[in-house]
Amino acid sequence: MPPAAAKPLYIRMNAADNVAIVANSGGLRPGTEFDCGLRLVEQIPQGHKVALADIAEDEIIRRYGEIIGHAAAPIVRGSWVKESLVRMPDAPGFDNLPKPNGEGLRQPPLEGYSFEGYRNADGSVGTRNILAISTSVQCVAGTVDFALTRIRKELLPKYPSVDDVVAVTHAYGCGVAINAPGAAVPIRTLQNLARNPNFGGEVMIVGLGCEKLQPELLLPEGMIADDDIMRMQDENLTGFGEIVDDIVRMADERLQVLNRRRRETCPASALVVGMQCGGSDAFSGVTANPALGFAADLLVRAGATVMFSEVTEVRDAIHLLTPRAINQEVADALVREMDWYDRYLAGGEADRSANTTPGNKKGGLSNIVEKAMGSVIKSGTSPIAGVLAPGERVRDKGLIFAATPASDFVCGTLQLASGMTVHVFTTGRGTPYGLAAAPVIKVSTRSDLKQRWHDLIDVDAGSIATGDATIEDVGWEIFRLILDVASGRETWAEHWNLTNSLALFNPGPVT
Ligand code: CA
């Protein structure tokens, strides 16, 4: 129980804001008076907004110094600014966006940080040593899972340096318009997933034989040999037993190679960190995401690659991102990806407002604009050095916008395809999320979540809200933990072996 006399506390993000959020666990009662003299006229739950001034109907509601909406009715000072009182503004247009202006500050390099990673022949560095069995079509998924059980039981104990064997199974590969423009996304995602640095360059693909996505299409030309592929319909294979034996044999050859991998000291610049949030609340943008943004800046200063994603959660902050692009080409690429996504959503008769969940709203987030302002903070302050279309492999160091849907599983899958080797996930409402192919560090926005889920959450950023830690403190904690986890330290999700399925993003038609 918190002390009965816990001091009432609200958090205002910007001096221009006319709303703030209630920080106290359990919320605050009517009549509560803050040090500044503000008096609550009604009960306000934790994380929800209080009006710091009278707000007239149609007047701007400002948080993070940005317009998160307009008042749908007059709002009295000290009252609860509920979702129904916040009318959502239109998304910023793409014309007249601010030009790159060097706003992303180039900070001094951060030297001397390293981790113990697995160097690969292509120059990439893995954080785990995993055999991936790629598949070209859903038809083979059950068979691959059957073989996987045997591989884990019969082979894995013989190769102690290998962490795991994972099946890259999915619902794609046949019954799809393989030549439609949208098909490029799932196909390059599967190609690039097989090349994730945690898989050590050892490729094997299991296909059926008659599928539209022929297995040889799964890797770029020259990167695949015929003996990397097995097709279940191969006429040389008789019966299910021989088919499974063949998969097990292929896995055995590759496990022998992977078992020779050893961790070596690698500079922090070899890291590829993917960031996302899920189950956000009003504290996401106050505690966990700013701390992760601070860690992202440290990583960029150390020369690493850091990706932020989730188009619908940055769409409303596009005007804050284009000035941070390193050049006009990168600014244009940001707009290209957001514009593509606007049209993708419009095709489904939806828009970005479809993003916010009931949990987001219960957590105090009125709309996607407010969610976006809190989400984009995790990109820190570094210049934006590059933009990736969904599933593209990362090419540059520094802060990268990797365009993905905000869906946790789809975002994680696409970031893995881009080459992510450590994932950092901030959560307010809580999620047990984990991935088989890369470690996931989970950061809670509130301390009571960490207390309840002490064996699921890796870092508590809630102490920032109560003033017990600073954004910098937690940012450094996340940065150091990333290096430890990259070196082999287990996350809670790994401890429990929690893995969510990969989920391909397929904007193309299914036939
Ligand atoms: Ca997400």
Side-chain angles (χ1 to χ4, degrees), residues 426-475:
T426 63
T427 183
R429 308 292 300 168
T431 167
Y433 183 85
L435 294 169
V440 178
I441 295 170
K442 289 198 291 294
V443 182
S444 72
T445 70
R446 287 171 301 119
S447 296
D448 52 355
L449 175 62
K450 172 64 181 166
Q451 282 152 17
R452 212 160 19 92
W453 281 15
H454 56 91
D455 50 6
L456 285 169
I457 299 292
D458 299 285
V459 177
D460 173 27
S463 46
I464 295 168
T466 51
D468 295 316
T470 63
I471 287 170
E472 291 79 3
D473 294 336
V474 181

mmCIF file of all heavy atoms in Angstrom, residues 426-475:
data_model
loop_
_atom_site.group_PDB
_atom_site.id
_atom_site.type_symbol
_atom_site.label_atom_id
_atom_site.label_comp_id
_atom_site.label_asym_id
_atom_site.label_seq_id
_atom_site.Cartn_x
_atom_site.Cartn_y
_atom_site.Cartn_z
ATOM 1 N N THR A 426 8.572 -1.284 -24.795
ATOM 2 C CA THR A 426 8.019 -0.583 -23.639
ATOM 3 C C THR A 426 6.523 -0.879 -23.537
ATOM 4 O O THR A 426 5.834 -0.985 -24.554
ATOM 5 C CB THR A 426 8.223 0.945 -23.738
ATOM 6 O OG1 THR A 426 7.500 1.449 -24.872
ATOM 7 C CG2 THR A 426 9.689 1.301 -23.879
ATOM 8 N N THR A 427 6.057 -1.036 -22.304
ATOM 9 C CA THR A 427 4.647 -1.375 -22.130
ATOM 10 C C THR A 427 4.060 -0.738 -20.876
ATOM 11 O O THR A 427 4.716 -0.681 -19.835
ATOM 12 C CB THR A 427 4.433 -2.902 -22.121
ATOM 13 O OG1 THR A 427 3.029 -3.173 -22.030
ATOM 14 C CG2 THR A 427 5.178 -3.583 -20.977
ATOM 15 N N GLY A 428 2.846 -0.251 -21.001
ATOM 16 C CA GLY A 428 2.149 0.361 -19.877
ATOM 17 C C GLY A 428 1.121 -0.587 -19.282
ATOM 18 O O GLY A 428 1.050 -0.794 -18.078
ATOM 19 N N ARG A 429 0.329 -1.169 -20.149
ATOM 20 C CA ARG A 429 -0.717 -2.080 -19.693
ATOM 21 C C ARG A 429 -0.137 -3.456 -19.360
ATOM 22 O O ARG A 429 -0.724 -4.204 -18.601
ATOM 23 C CB ARG A 429 -1.802 -2.240 -20.776
ATOM 24 C CG ARG A 429 -2.366 -0.936 -21.310
ATOM 25 C CD ARG A 429 -3.179 -0.161 -20.308
ATOM 26 N NE ARG A 429 -4.322 -0.934 -19.846
ATOM 27 C CZ ARG A 429 -5.079 -0.588 -18.803
ATOM 28 N NH1 ARG A 429 -4.796 0.508 -18.118
ATOM 29 N NH2 ARG A 429 -6.102 -1.316 -18.449
ATOM 30 N N GLY A 430 1.008 -3.788 -20.020
ATOM 31 C CA GLY A 430 1.665 -5.072 -19.766
ATOM 32 C C GLY A 430 1.400 -6.067 -20.870
ATOM 33 O O GLY A 430 0.290 -6.181 -21.367
ATOM 34 N N THR A 431 2.439 -6.766 -21.308
ATOM 35 C CA THR A 431 2.322 -7.857 -22.272
ATOM 36 C C THR A 431 3.477 -8.820 -22.036
ATOM 37 O O THR A 431 4.574 -8.385 -21.701
ATOM 38 C CB THR A 431 2.356 -7.356 -23.743
ATOM 39 O OG1 THR A 431 2.551 -8.489 -24.608
ATOM 40 C CG2 THR A 431 3.481 -6.367 -23.987
ATOM 41 N N PRO A 432 3.240 -10.118 -22.193
ATOM 42 C CA PRO A 432 4.316 -11.103 -22.007
ATOM 43 C C PRO A 432 5.163 -11.305 -23.256
ATOM 44 O O PRO A 432 5.968 -12.242 -23.311
ATOM 45 C CB PRO A 432 3.526 -12.381 -21.676
ATOM 46 C CG PRO A 432 2.247 -12.221 -22.436
ATOM 47 C CD PRO A 432 1.926 -10.748 -22.443
ATOM 48 N N TYR A 433 5.014 -10.461 -24.238
ATOM 49 C CA TYR A 433 5.655 -10.557 -25.557
ATOM 50 C C TYR A 433 7.101 -11.090 -25.549
ATOM 51 O O TYR A 433 7.922 -10.682 -24.726
ATOM 52 C CB TYR A 433 5.643 -9.133 -26.140
ATOM 53 C CG TYR A 433 6.197 -8.958 -27.531
ATOM 54 C CD1 TYR A 433 5.397 -9.175 -28.648
ATOM 55 C CD2 TYR A 433 7.513 -8.546 -27.731
ATOM 56 C CE1 TYR A 433 5.896 -8.982 -29.916
ATOM 57 C CE2 TYR A 433 8.011 -8.354 -29.011
ATOM 58 C CZ TYR A 433 7.203 -8.579 -30.094
ATOM 59 O OH TYR A 433 7.700 -8.390 -31.348
ATOM 60 N N GLY A 434 7.386 -11.959 -26.493
ATOM 61 C CA GLY A 434 8.749 -12.456 -26.673
ATOM 62 C C GLY A 434 8.934 -12.953 -28.091
ATOM 63 O O GLY A 434 7.959 -13.232 -28.805
ATOM 64 N N LEU A 435 10.181 -13.042 -28.538
ATOM 65 C CA LEU A 435 10.492 -13.527 -29.885
ATOM 66 C C LEU A 435 11.490 -14.675 -29.779
ATOM 67 O O LEU A 435 12.353 -14.661 -28.897
ATOM 68 C CB LEU A 435 11.103 -12.413 -30.737
ATOM 69 C CG LEU A 435 10.219 -11.218 -31.092
ATOM 70 C CD1 LEU A 435 11.049 -10.094 -31.695
ATOM 71 C CD2 LEU A 435 9.094 -11.635 -32.051
ATOM 72 N N ALA A 436 11.390 -15.634 -30.707
ATOM 73 C CA ALA A 436 12.325 -16.761 -30.680
ATOM 74 C C ALA A 436 13.681 -16.379 -31.273
ATOM 75 O O ALA A 436 14.702 -16.959 -30.910
ATOM 76 C CB ALA A 436 11.727 -17.940 -31.456
ATOM 77 N N ALA A 437 13.695 -15.403 -32.172
ATOM 78 C CA ALA A 437 14.908 -15.139 -32.950
ATOM 79 C C ALA A 437 15.814 -14.081 -32.339
ATOM 80 O O ALA A 437 16.968 -13.952 -32.747
ATOM 81 C CB ALA A 437 14.519 -14.725 -34.374
ATOM 82 N N ALA A 438 15.312 -13.314 -31.376
ATOM 83 C CA ALA A 438 16.134 -12.264 -30.760
ATOM 84 C C ALA A 438 15.598 -11.989 -29.359
ATOM 85 O O ALA A 438 14.389 -12.097 -29.118
ATOM 86 C CB ALA A 438 16.089 -10.978 -31.595
ATOM 87 N N PRO A 439 16.499 -11.639 -28.428
ATOM 88 C CA PRO A 439 16.029 -11.342 -27.069
ATOM 89 C C PRO A 439 15.189 -10.070 -27.033
ATOM 90 O O PRO A 439 15.464 -9.126 -27.770
ATOM 91 C CB PRO A 439 17.330 -11.157 -26.280
ATOM 92 C CG PRO A 439 18.380 -10.848 -27.289
ATOM 93 C CD PRO A 439 17.959 -11.498 -28.575
ATOM 94 N N VAL A 440 14.155 -10.075 -26.180
ATOM 95 C CA VAL A 440 13.264 -8.924 -26.020
ATOM 96 C C VAL A 440 13.381 -8.410 -24.579
ATOM 97 O O VAL A 440 13.099 -9.143 -23.637
ATOM 98 C CB VAL A 440 11.794 -9.296 -26.317
ATOM 99 C CG1 VAL A 440 10.888 -8.085 -26.089
ATOM 100 C CG2 VAL A 440 11.642 -9.821 -27.741
ATOM 101 N N ILE A 441 13.811 -7.155 -24.449
ATOM 102 C CA ILE A 441 13.893 -6.495 -23.140
ATOM 103 C C ILE A 441 12.610 -5.697 -22.944
ATOM 104 O O ILE A 441 12.295 -4.830 -23.767
ATOM 105 C CB ILE A 441 15.110 -5.543 -23.090
ATOM 106 C CG1 ILE A 441 16.412 -6.343 -23.211
ATOM 107 C CG2 ILE A 441 15.086 -4.692 -21.819
ATOM 108 C CD1 ILE A 441 17.646 -5.457 -23.423
ATOM 109 N N LYS A 442 11.880 -5.990 -21.882
ATOM 110 C CA LYS A 442 10.621 -5.267 -21.675
ATOM 111 C C LYS A 442 10.776 -4.227 -20.565
ATOM 112 O O LYS A 442 11.313 -4.491 -19.503
ATOM 113 C CB LYS A 442 9.493 -6.244 -21.371
ATOM 114 C CG LYS A 442 9.115 -7.040 -22.640
ATOM 115 C CD LYS A 442 7.761 -7.685 -22.554
ATOM 116 C CE LYS A 442 7.707 -8.805 -21.566
ATOM 117 N NZ LYS A 442 8.551 -9.955 -21.975
ATOM 118 N N VAL A 443 10.266 -3.030 -20.850
ATOM 119 C CA VAL A 443 10.390 -1.886 -19.950
ATOM 120 C C VAL A 443 8.983 -1.435 -19.558
ATOM 121 O O VAL A 443 8.162 -1.142 -20.437
ATOM 122 C CB VAL A 443 11.131 -0.719 -20.644
ATOM 123 C CG1 VAL A 443 11.301 0.455 -19.683
ATOM 124 C CG2 VAL A 443 12.479 -1.172 -21.197
ATOM 125 N N SER A 444 8.689 -1.390 -18.251
ATOM 126 C CA SER A 444 7.349 -0.972 -17.821
ATOM 127 C C SER A 444 7.316 0.544 -17.619
ATOM 128 O O SER A 444 8.302 1.156 -17.207
ATOM 129 C CB SER A 444 6.946 -1.671 -16.523
ATOM 130 O OG SER A 444 7.683 -1.159 -15.435
ATOM 131 N N THR A 445 6.153 1.121 -17.892
ATOM 132 C CA THR A 445 5.997 2.572 -17.730
ATOM 133 C C THR A 445 5.647 2.937 -16.295
ATOM 134 O O THR A 445 5.836 4.063 -15.890
ATOM 135 C CB THR A 445 4.882 3.110 -18.648
ATOM 136 O OG1 THR A 445 3.614 2.640 -18.154
ATOM 137 C CG2 THR A 445 5.060 2.658 -20.075
ATOM 138 N N ARG A 446 5.108 1.970 -15.537
ATOM 139 C CA ARG A 446 4.678 2.243 -14.169
ATOM 140 C C ARG A 446 5.271 1.194 -13.233
ATOM 141 O O ARG A 446 5.407 0.028 -13.601
ATOM 142 C CB ARG A 446 3.147 2.182 -14.067
ATOM 143 C CG ARG A 446 2.439 3.367 -14.712
ATOM 144 C CD ARG A 446 0.927 3.149 -14.782
ATOM 145 N NE ARG A 446 0.621 1.939 -15.541
ATOM 146 C CZ ARG A 446 -0.022 0.893 -15.041
ATOM 147 N NH1 ARG A 446 -0.466 0.900 -13.813
ATOM 148 N NH2 ARG A 446 -0.247 -0.166 -15.800
ATOM 149 N N SER A 447 5.578 1.607 -11.996
ATOM 150 C CA SER A 447 6.194 0.679 -11.039
ATOM 151 C C SER A 447 5.221 -0.401 -10.597
ATOM 152 O O SER A 447 5.635 -1.526 -10.304
ATOM 153 C CB SER A 447 6.707 1.436 -9.819
ATOM 154 O OG SER A 447 7.732 2.328 -10.218
ATOM 155 N N ASP A 448 3.924 -0.103 -10.549
ATOM 156 C CA ASP A 448 3.015 -1.156 -10.067
ATOM 157 C C ASP A 448 2.935 -2.312 -11.067
ATOM 158 O O ASP A 448 2.709 -3.450 -10.669
ATOM 159 C CB ASP A 448 1.626 -0.623 -9.671
ATOM 160 C CG ASP A 448 0.976 0.213 -10.741
ATOM 161 O OD1 ASP A 448 1.633 0.477 -11.758
ATOM 162 O OD2 ASP A 448 -0.199 0.601 -10.560
ATOM 163 N N LEU A 449 3.156 -2.030 -12.348
ATOM 164 C CA LEU A 449 3.220 -3.142 -13.312
ATOM 165 C C LEU A 449 4.458 -4.012 -13.035
ATOM 166 O O LEU A 449 4.376 -5.241 -13.009
ATOM 167 C CB LEU A 449 3.250 -2.623 -14.759
ATOM 168 C CG LEU A 449 3.438 -3.704 -15.831
ATOM 169 C CD1 LEU A 449 2.288 -4.710 -15.827
ATOM 170 C CD2 LEU A 449 3.567 -3.082 -17.230
ATOM 171 N N LYS A 450 5.583 -3.372 -12.801
ATOM 172 C CA LYS A 450 6.811 -4.123 -12.505
ATOM 173 C C LYS A 450 6.652 -4.944 -11.221
ATOM 174 O O LYS A 450 7.133 -6.068 -11.121
ATOM 175 C CB LYS A 450 8.006 -3.158 -12.401
ATOM 176 C CG LYS A 450 9.305 -3.777 -11.900
ATOM 177 C CD LYS A 450 9.864 -4.839 -12.834
ATOM 178 C CE LYS A 450 11.158 -5.442 -12.277
ATOM 179 N NZ LYS A 450 11.556 -6.672 -12.950
ATOM 180 N N GLN A 451 5.928 -4.354 -10.227
ATOM 181 C CA GLN A 451 5.735 -5.100 -8.973
ATOM 182 C C GLN A 451 4.844 -6.318 -9.190
ATOM 183 O O GLN A 451 5.114 -7.398 -8.672
ATOM 184 C CB GLN A 451 5.140 -4.175 -7.901
ATOM 185 C CG GLN A 451 6.204 -3.264 -7.284
ATOM 186 C CD GLN A 451 5.644 -1.946 -6.765
ATOM 187 O OE1 GLN A 451 4.439 -1.806 -6.571
ATOM 188 N NE2 GLN A 451 6.518 -0.982 -6.560
ATOM 189 N N ARG A 452 3.807 -6.136 -9.985
ATOM 190 C CA ARG A 452 2.881 -7.243 -10.259
ATOM 191 C C ARG A 452 3.533 -8.281 -11.159
ATOM 192 O O ARG A 452 3.442 -9.473 -10.940
ATOM 193 C CB ARG A 452 1.630 -6.663 -10.929
ATOM 194 C CG ARG A 452 0.366 -7.364 -10.628
ATOM 195 C CD ARG A 452 -0.906 -6.529 -10.890
ATOM 196 N NE ARG A 452 -0.805 -5.387 -11.752
ATOM 197 C CZ ARG A 452 -1.022 -5.392 -13.071
ATOM 198 N NH1 ARG A 452 -1.323 -6.508 -13.699
ATOM 199 N NH2 ARG A 452 -0.925 -4.276 -13.782
ATOM 200 N N TRP A 453 4.223 -7.812 -12.196
ATOM 201 C CA TRP A 453 4.859 -8.701 -13.176
ATOM 202 C C TRP A 453 6.382 -8.682 -12.985
ATOM 203 O O TRP A 453 7.131 -8.446 -13.924
ATOM 204 C CB TRP A 453 4.494 -8.257 -14.602
ATOM 205 C CG TRP A 453 3.132 -8.695 -15.046
ATOM 206 C CD1 TRP A 453 2.103 -9.178 -14.273
ATOM 207 C CD2 TRP A 453 2.640 -8.706 -16.396
ATOM 208 N NE1 TRP A 453 1.017 -9.479 -15.057
ATOM 209 C CE2 TRP A 453 1.309 -9.198 -16.354
ATOM 210 C CE3 TRP A 453 3.189 -8.340 -17.630
ATOM 211 C CZ2 TRP A 453 0.531 -9.344 -17.504
ATOM 212 C CZ3 TRP A 453 2.405 -8.478 -18.768
ATOM 213 C CH2 TRP A 453 1.090 -8.975 -18.706
ATOM 214 N N HIS A 454 6.795 -8.929 -11.733
ATOM 215 C CA HIS A 454 8.229 -8.837 -11.408
ATOM 216 C C HIS A 454 9.060 -9.828 -12.206
ATOM 217 O O HIS A 454 10.251 -9.601 -12.424
ATOM 218 C CB HIS A 454 8.425 -9.058 -9.905
ATOM 219 C CG HIS A 454 7.864 -10.353 -9.422
ATOM 220 N ND1 HIS A 454 8.600 -11.498 -9.378
ATOM 221 C CD2 HIS A 454 6.601 -10.695 -9.020
ATOM 222 C CE1 HIS A 454 7.829 -12.495 -8.946
ATOM 223 N NE2 HIS A 454 6.611 -12.029 -8.735
ATOM 224 N N ASP A 455 8.427 -10.934 -12.664
ATOM 225 C CA ASP A 455 9.180 -11.949 -13.405
ATOM 226 C C ASP A 455 8.835 -11.951 -14.897
ATOM 227 O O ASP A 455 9.003 -12.948 -15.586
ATOM 228 C CB ASP A 455 8.954 -13.336 -12.781
ATOM 229 C CG ASP A 455 7.477 -13.645 -12.562
ATOM 230 O OD1 ASP A 455 6.623 -12.831 -12.991
ATOM 231 O OD2 ASP A 455 7.178 -14.688 -11.960
ATOM 232 N N LEU A 456 8.342 -10.818 -15.387
ATOM 233 C CA LEU A 456 8.097 -10.673 -16.834
ATOM 234 C C LEU A 456 8.719 -9.385 -17.379
ATOM 235 O O LEU A 456 9.078 -9.310 -18.544
ATOM 236 C CB LEU A 456 6.584 -10.654 -17.123
ATOM 237 C CG LEU A 456 5.853 -11.997 -17.030
ATOM 238 C CD1 LEU A 456 4.341 -11.783 -17.076
ATOM 239 C CD2 LEU A 456 6.278 -12.924 -18.172
ATOM 240 N N ILE A 457 8.799 -8.371 -16.504
ATOM 241 C CA ILE A 457 9.307 -7.056 -16.922
ATOM 242 C C ILE A 457 10.781 -6.954 -16.541
ATOM 243 O O ILE A 457 11.170 -7.267 -15.411
ATOM 244 C CB ILE A 457 8.505 -5.932 -16.213
ATOM 245 C CG1 ILE A 457 7.009 -6.004 -16.592
ATOM 246 C CG2 ILE A 457 9.107 -4.563 -16.502
ATOM 247 C CD1 ILE A 457 6.693 -5.668 -18.023
ATOM 248 N N ASP A 458 11.615 -6.519 -17.479
ATOM 249 C CA ASP A 458 13.066 -6.471 -17.229
ATOM 250 C C ASP A 458 13.519 -5.156 -16.596
ATOM 251 O O ASP A 458 14.468 -5.129 -15.830
ATOM 252 C CB ASP A 458 13.817 -6.692 -18.554
ATOM 253 C CG ASP A 458 13.495 -8.055 -19.164
ATOM 254 O OD1 ASP A 458 14.015 -9.049 -18.651
ATOM 255 O OD2 ASP A 458 12.702 -8.114 -20.125
ATOM 256 N N VAL A 459 12.858 -4.050 -16.961
ATOM 257 C CA VAL A 459 13.278 -2.736 -16.449
ATOM 258 C C VAL A 459 12.029 -1.958 -16.020
ATOM 259 O O VAL A 459 11.027 -1.949 -16.739
ATOM 260 C CB VAL A 459 14.022 -1.907 -17.537
ATOM 261 C CG1 VAL A 459 14.390 -0.525 -17.004
ATOM 262 C CG2 VAL A 459 15.254 -2.634 -18.040
ATOM 263 N N ASP A 460 12.103 -1.316 -14.857
ATOM 264 C CA ASP A 460 10.998 -0.469 -14.398
ATOM 265 C C ASP A 460 11.355 0.994 -14.635
ATOM 266 O O ASP A 460 12.295 1.507 -14.028
ATOM 267 C CB ASP A 460 10.760 -0.721 -12.901
ATOM 268 C CG ASP A 460 9.741 0.255 -12.317
ATOM 269 O OD1 ASP A 460 8.879 0.736 -13.094
ATOM 270 O OD2 ASP A 460 9.808 0.515 -11.109
ATOM 271 N N ALA A 461 10.587 1.644 -15.506
ATOM 272 C CA ALA A 461 10.820 3.075 -15.732
ATOM 273 C C ALA A 461 9.854 3.922 -14.907
ATOM 274 O O ALA A 461 9.867 5.149 -14.976
ATOM 275 C CB ALA A 461 10.685 3.411 -17.219
ATOM 276 N N GLY A 462 8.999 3.272 -14.113
ATOM 277 C CA GLY A 462 7.972 3.983 -13.348
ATOM 278 C C GLY A 462 8.546 4.920 -12.306
ATOM 279 O O GLY A 462 7.899 5.890 -11.911
ATOM 280 N N SER A 463 9.781 4.619 -11.874
ATOM 281 C CA SER A 463 10.395 5.459 -10.839
ATOM 282 C C SER A 463 10.643 6.883 -11.350
ATOM 283 O O SER A 463 10.851 7.799 -10.554
ATOM 284 C CB SER A 463 11.703 4.821 -10.374
ATOM 285 O OG SER A 463 12.463 4.401 -11.486
ATOM 286 N N ILE A 464 10.576 7.079 -12.663
ATOM 287 C CA ILE A 464 10.736 8.439 -13.212
ATOM 288 C C ILE A 464 9.522 9.294 -12.835
ATOM 289 O O ILE A 464 9.655 10.476 -12.505
ATOM 290 C CB ILE A 464 10.908 8.378 -14.753
ATOM 291 C CG1 ILE A 464 12.211 7.659 -15.113
ATOM 292 C CG2 ILE A 464 10.872 9.777 -15.359
ATOM 293 C CD1 ILE A 464 12.336 7.298 -16.584
ATOM 294 N N ALA A 465 8.330 8.673 -12.850
ATOM 295 C CA ALA A 465 7.101 9.431 -12.566
ATOM 296 C C ALA A 465 7.057 9.909 -11.126
ATOM 297 O O ALA A 465 6.523 10.972 -10.830
ATOM 298 C CB ALA A 465 5.878 8.575 -12.868
ATOM 299 N N THR A 466 7.626 9.103 -10.215
ATOM 300 C CA THR A 466 7.568 9.466 -8.799
ATOM 301 C C THR A 466 8.760 10.319 -8.386
ATOM 302 O O THR A 466 8.855 10.735 -7.230
ATOM 303 C CB THR A 466 7.529 8.188 -7.939
ATOM 304 O OG1 THR A 466 8.601 7.337 -8.363
ATOM 305 C CG2 THR A 466 6.212 7.460 -8.094
ATOM 306 N N GLY A 467 9.676 10.551 -9.315
ATOM 307 C CA GLY A 467 10.835 11.380 -9.002
ATOM 308 C C GLY A 467 11.964 10.607 -8.332
ATOM 309 O O GLY A 467 12.949 11.188 -7.887
ATOM 310 N N ASP A 468 11.831 9.255 -8.267
ATOM 311 C CA ASP A 468 12.869 8.450 -7.629
ATOM 312 C C ASP A 468 14.034 8.134 -8.557
ATOM 313 O O ASP A 468 15.074 7.636 -8.122
ATOM 314 C CB ASP A 468 12.264 7.147 -7.086
ATOM 315 C CG ASP A 468 11.256 7.432 -5.971
ATOM 316 O OD1 ASP A 468 11.567 8.274 -5.121
ATOM 317 O OD2 ASP A 468 10.165 6.834 -5.981
ATOM 318 N N ALA A 469 13.845 8.360 -9.846
ATOM 319 C CA ALA A 469 14.938 8.184 -10.807
ATOM 320 C C ALA A 469 14.733 9.204 -11.910
ATOM 321 O O ALA A 469 13.626 9.725 -12.088
ATOM 322 C CB ALA A 469 14.936 6.770 -11.383
ATOM 323 N N THR A 470 15.798 9.498 -12.629
ATOM 324 C CA THR A 470 15.664 10.429 -13.742
ATOM 325 C C THR A 470 15.587 9.649 -15.055
ATOM 326 O O THR A 470 15.904 8.456 -15.106
ATOM 327 C CB THR A 470 16.876 11.374 -13.817
ATOM 328 O OG1 THR A 470 18.041 10.570 -14.079
ATOM 329 C CG2 THR A 470 17.067 12.148 -12.520
ATOM 330 N N ILE A 471 15.184 10.342 -16.103
ATOM 331 C CA ILE A 471 15.161 9.737 -17.438
ATOM 332 C C ILE A 471 16.567 9.234 -17.794
ATOM 333 O O ILE A 471 16.730 8.148 -18.343
ATOM 334 C CB ILE A 471 14.636 10.773 -18.456
ATOM 335 C CG1 ILE A 471 13.125 10.960 -18.261
ATOM 336 C CG2 ILE A 471 14.966 10.364 -19.895
ATOM 337 C CD1 ILE A 471 12.527 12.121 -19.020
ATOM 338 N N GLU A 472 17.574 10.041 -17.426
ATOM 339 C CA GLU A 472 18.960 9.655 -17.715
ATOM 340 C C GLU A 472 19.343 8.371 -16.978
ATOM 341 O O GLU A 472 19.966 7.476 -17.569
ATOM 342 C CB GLU A 472 19.929 10.776 -17.315
ATOM 343 C CG GLU A 472 19.855 12.029 -18.175
ATOM 344 C CD GLU A 472 18.672 12.936 -17.828
ATOM 345 O OE1 GLU A 472 17.920 12.619 -16.856
ATOM 346 O OE2 GLU A 472 18.460 13.943 -18.523
ATOM 347 N N ASP A 473 18.956 8.268 -15.683
ATOM 348 C CA ASP A 473 19.278 7.058 -14.904
ATOM 349 C C ASP A 473 18.737 5.812 -15.598
ATOM 350 O O ASP A 473 19.443 4.827 -15.795
ATOM 351 C CB ASP A 473 18.614 7.099 -13.504
ATOM 352 C CG ASP A 473 19.162 8.197 -12.613
ATOM 353 O OD1 ASP A 473 20.306 8.630 -12.846
ATOM 354 O OD2 ASP A 473 18.442 8.614 -11.674
ATOM 355 N N VAL A 474 17.439 5.854 -15.924
ATOM 356 C CA VAL A 474 16.818 4.666 -16.512
ATOM 357 C C VAL A 474 17.342 4.445 -17.931
ATOM 358 O O VAL A 474 17.514 3.309 -18.371
ATOM 359 C CB VAL A 474 15.276 4.773 -16.475
ATOM 360 C CG1 VAL A 474 14.635 3.524 -17.069
ATOM 361 C CG2 VAL A 474 14.788 4.976 -15.041
ATOM 362 N N GLY A 475 17.638 5.543 -18.643
ATOM 363 C CA GLY A 475 18.217 5.423 -19.984
ATOM 364 C C GLY A 475 19.541 4.667 -19.949
ATOM 365 O O GLY A 475 19.784 3.761 -20.754
#
